Amino acid sequence: MSPRTPADQAVARHGWPQAAGTALAGLLSMCVTAALGLWAAGAADLPDTAFPRVVAATVVTAVGGSVELSGNAGDLAGTRAGMTVMPLSVTLVGALVTAYAFLRPLRHRAVARAAELGGWALRVAVVWLLGLLGLAFGARQTFAVSLGDDSLDALGDVFGVAPKVGFTTDVPLTVLVGLVWLAGVLVLALLVSGGAPLPRALLRFQASVRPAAYAMVALLLAWVVLGLVVALVVAATRGDPADALAVVLLGLPNLVWLAFTVGLGATWDGRVEGPFGLPMPHVLDAVLRGEDTATVDLGTLAEQDGRVWWLVAVEAVLLLGAAFVMAARSPAGTPAWRHAVRMAVALALTVLAVCLVGRISAHYGLSLFGISGIGGSGLGGDVFLRPRVWSAVGLAALWGLVAGFLGALLARGTAGHGRVDAGERHPVGRGGRRA
């Protein structure tokens, strides 16, 4: 037998056992994050040992899967229910862990064959699919609902009205969207990591794409870190540490990335009606609660608290920092106008992604004998929050042009300016090893 080369050993390090470890690490990290967040929110007290199933449903929604709410109240009653929301804290943890585990076997490589990368990703996807199917089939439960009054409960028993609400998973849609989510995470991991290998045919794009992708991921993570600091301060000064922990572990990016778009000048429309609110700051809750659809922007939020205008200053500083990082990681001699265009495109795509994953919609209602809202407001509610997408994307492009140009000017003359990725610094020998 011929001796194994270093390149052969590199390929052998990402076989089926490593693929299983990568996929399961991502799913397990999401399960743990969701479980801790739901426990902090009080979901561990749900009846009928429903907690594990609720955790599974949370992970399913975190990868974009579809969890359908259902109701059954007998022949004389009607129910309506629906929910669309991604717990982005769970999503972010899963994406970071999966990306790290996917890239780890590929480190110290400058170039990799397309077939090798495709085979590695396919093995991860197969194990991921099996794990996602298990979660999807496990995410289903039914709960009994009280009518809120002893006499109404007795009347319901007489007429056979036993309100129930539950959830189940659209398995085919969940599998499809979950695989698309995984593909997006793996592609983004290859784009962001300067040390990850690429096929030779794509090396010419890395100087323009990788710095921008890295800067956008750094920008989003900077907002999360900032939000985490604020959440910890609020928990320490105002009490309710369990609520703060639930927000951090389930929906922190939902809030801070909303603030990120609002700081750009974007507008969201929303409403919170009934007891089903969202874990949100008081200023946002005050704007959203009302009979009509509310407008969420800098102006309406500032009417509740003038400190909201500081979002603009924070936005400017973080965007300038991201533009500086992008320019510093780009090849020397790149014109400032080109940095500006790349920053504008990258920021517009980032805001588009935030708008797509950040929208929220949830409603539930019960009617008995044709009468809605039975038993008080506790049996009905409506929550939604959706962006005005194209105006947000346009504003992001304008901010990106200005920040990209200024960041390029600031990066000139710095020690890091002119840096290129590893694939361009080193000639490549056989098998994808650096010479």
Side-chain angles (χ1 to χ4, degrees):
M1 295 178 63
S2 60
R4 298 179 66 174
T5 66
D8 294 331
Q9 294 171 1
V11 172
R13 284 199 303 268
H14 49 79
W16 282 104
Q18 291 76 16
T22 297
L24 295 179
L27 290 172
L28 182 60
S29 65
M30 285 192 283
C31 288
V32 171
T33 304
L36 290 174
L38 291 168
W39 169 79
D45 298 328
L46 289 172
D48 302 327
T49 62
F51 183 68
R53 297 179 179 86
V54 174
V55 171
T58 303
V59 175
V60 165
T61 58
V63 298
S66 175
V67 173
E68 301 175 347
L69 299 182
S70 59
N72 180 11
D75 296 333
L76 301 179
T79 60
R80 61 179 184 87
M83 181 180 68
T84 302
V85 61
M86 287 184 70
L88 291 179
S89 291
V90 181
T91 303
L92 181 60
V93 169
L96 292 176
V97 172
T98 303
Y100 174 79
F102 176 76
L103 293 176
R104 183 174 172 77
L106 303 174
R107 65 192 187 282
H108 310 312
R109 306 274 301 282
V111 179
R113 290 176 291 110
E116 178 190 347
L117 289 176
W120 171 223
L122 181 60
R123 287 190 287 272
V124 174
V126 170
V127 182
W128 174 270
L129 173 61
L130 295 176
L132 191 60
L133 280 171
L135 289 170
F137 282 114
R140 50 193 67 206
Q141 180 73 29
T142 301
F143 304 95
V145 179
S146 171
L147 292 174
D149 183 88
D150 291 340
S151 59
L152 287 175
D153 285 333
L155 189 61
D157 292 337
V158 171
F159 288 96
V161 177
K164 294 181 180 179
V165 64
F167 59 86
T168 186
T169 306
D170 185 337
V171 176
L173 181 60
T174 294
V175 168
L176 175 62
V177 178
L179 288 175
V180 172
W181 182 91
L182 177 66
V185 168
L186 301 187
V187 170
L188 187 59
L190 289 173
L191 291 178
V192 171
S193 175
L198 291 175
R200 289 181 183 274
L202 299 180
L203 288 177
R204 64 181 182 274
F205 298 111
Q206 66 178 348
S208 58
V209 175
R210 273 186 164 168
Y214 181 90
M216 292 302 100
V217 171
L219 175 65
L220 292 178
L221 291 179
W223 275 98
V224 173
V225 171
L226 183 62
L228 178 60
V229 172
V230 173
L232 293 177
V233 171
V234 170
T237 57
R238 300 184 184 178
D240 295 326
D243 290 343
L245 182 62
V247 171
V248 167
L249 292 175
L250 294 176
L252 182 61
N254 296 75
L255 294 176
V256 297
W257 292 345
L258 169 66
F260 159 57
T261 61
V262 170
L264 293 172
T267 300
W268 293 63
D269 297 314
R271 180 176 61 193
V272 175
E273 181 185 15
F276 298 117
L278 297 173
M280 64 179 70
H282 172 73
V283 59
L284 181 57
D285 185 75
V287 171
L288 289 176
R289 285 196 180 274
E291 296 182 358
D292 299 323
T293 299
T295 298
V296 179
D297 57 19
L298 284 168
T300 57
L301 293 173
E303 290 176 0
Q304 303 295 326
D305 191 334
R307 292 173 296 180
V308 167
W309 290 110
W310 281 102
L311 278 179
V312 180
V314 173
E315 190 81 67
V317 171
L318 293 181
L319 281 181
L320 192 58
F324 175 86
V325 168
M326 187 188 77
R329 296 175 67 91
S330 298
T334 304
W337 67 266
R338 186 166 294 172
H339 284 299
V341 172
R342 290 173 180 173
M343 181 72 178
V345 172
L347 188 60
L349 291 175
T350 300
V351 168
L352 176 61
V354 169
C355 289
L356 293 177
V357 303
R359 61 183 63 213
I360 294 172
S361 175
H363 64 270
Y364 177 69
L366 170 68
S367 61
L368 182 63
F369 307 114
I371 304 173
S372 299
I374 10 216
S377 61
L379 290 176
D382 189 23
V383 176
F384 74 87
L385 188 63
R386 53 176 178 258
R388 299 181 187 177
V389 177
W390 299 116
S391 62
V393 170
L395 287 167
L398 291 176
W399 276 84
L401 284 173
V402 176
F405 188 84
L406 295 177
L409 297 181
L410 289 175
R412 287 181 178 176
T414 61
H417 186 55
R419 161 184 178 176
V420 294
D421 287 311
E424 293 186 347
R425 282 201 305 264
H426 302 281
V428 179
R430 295 181 59 187
R433 293 170 289 145
R434 295 192 183 103

